[in-house]
Amino acid sequence: MSDTTPSSTAGPVVLDVWCELQCPDCRSALDDVRALRARYGDRLDIRLRHFPLEKHKHAFAAAQAAEEAFEQGHGWPYVEAVLARTERLAEQGEPALIEAAGELALDTDEFETALIDGRHILIVDADQAEGKAIGVTGTPTYVIGDERLDGGKSQEGLRERIEAIADRLLAE
């Protein structure tokens, strides 16, 4: 498929997905993320942005663990694995995060060290501060172009709205 945009330097459209890895709504949103990835491929840069909620006591550690997974080259598979076990994460905490890493053959010792030394805290804090600054109040929330779409209230019709915006931005 050839690129018909006038400027070949224009990169992909960016979709920020403000997510919390202990959130059942974010788990439901994964189907939309997968469908968007399948439809757009490299033309849509889907970026995980962290927005741990206080009501989920293991969400902040999960966000840090996700950053370690991205550093080890398996970010999205890890995110999916953690979201698939939100109940276990709520019950077990960090052992569930390490278990998910082990299932993906990631370096679990490095995960444990990262959670102890806090090497990814600044990334998570920065995401959360940016989210608050742009009006994110819950998860999942999507930002594409200049539009913020709140998926925490309802996922209904969100993928179609994201696709319409992405199509418009890709055509520009």
Side-chain angles (χ1 to χ4, degrees):
M1 190 161 136
S2 66
D3 185 5
T4 58
T5 54
S7 171
S8 62
T9 60
V13 170
V14 173
L15 171 65
D16 284 333
V17 180
W18 297 87
C19 183
E20 196 244 60
L21 298 182
Q22 202 176 329
C23 170
D25 290 334
C26 290
R27 178 176 52 203
S28 301
L30 275 179
D31 288 338
D32 287 340
V33 170
R34 286 186 201 106
L36 291 165
R37 191 176 289 125
R39 177 174 176 173
Y40 293 101
D42 291 342
R43 297 178 305 142
L44 184 65
D45 181 12
I46 302 174
R47 301 187 311 190
L48 177 70
R49 304 300 299 274
H50 302 289
F51 201 77
L53 303 170
E54 288 182 21
K55 67 181 178 180
H56 294 136
K57 68 180 181 176
H58 302 296
F60 195 81
Q64 293 176 72
E67 283 302 312
E68 181 59 31
F70 276 104
E71 196 165 284
Q72 292 189 29
H74 292 85
W76 279 107
Y78 182 79
V79 166
E80 291 192 22
V82 172
L83 283 170
R85 66 185 81 215
T86 55
E87 294 85 6
R88 193 173 322 161
L89 178 57
E91 294 167 7
Q92 297 177 352
E94 290 184 14
L97 299 172
I98 304 302
E99 176 185 64
E103 288 175 5
L104 294 169
L106 299 175
D107 184 341
T108 55
D109 289 340
E110 202 59 35
F111 266 80
E112 289 177 6
T113 302
L115 290 170
I116 292 167
D117 70 18
R119 68 182 74 158
H120 303 296
I121 287 176
L122 291 177
I123 294 169
V124 177
D125 282 346
D127 274 2
Q128 193 164 36
E130 183 180 339
K132 287 179 182 176
I134 65 168
V136 174
T137 57
T139 58
T141 296
Y142 306 91
V143 177
I144 182 168
D146 293 333
E147 299 196 46
R148 186 181 75 238
L149 307 167
D150 184 356
K153 294 178 181 146
S154 171
Q155 293 286 313
E156 188 70 32
L158 274 184
R159 185 172 71 208
E160 293 79 11
R161 289 174 56 202
I162 292 168
E163 289 172 347
I165 296 165
D167 290 343
R168 184 188 79 230
L169 293 172
L170 288 167
E172 290 177 356

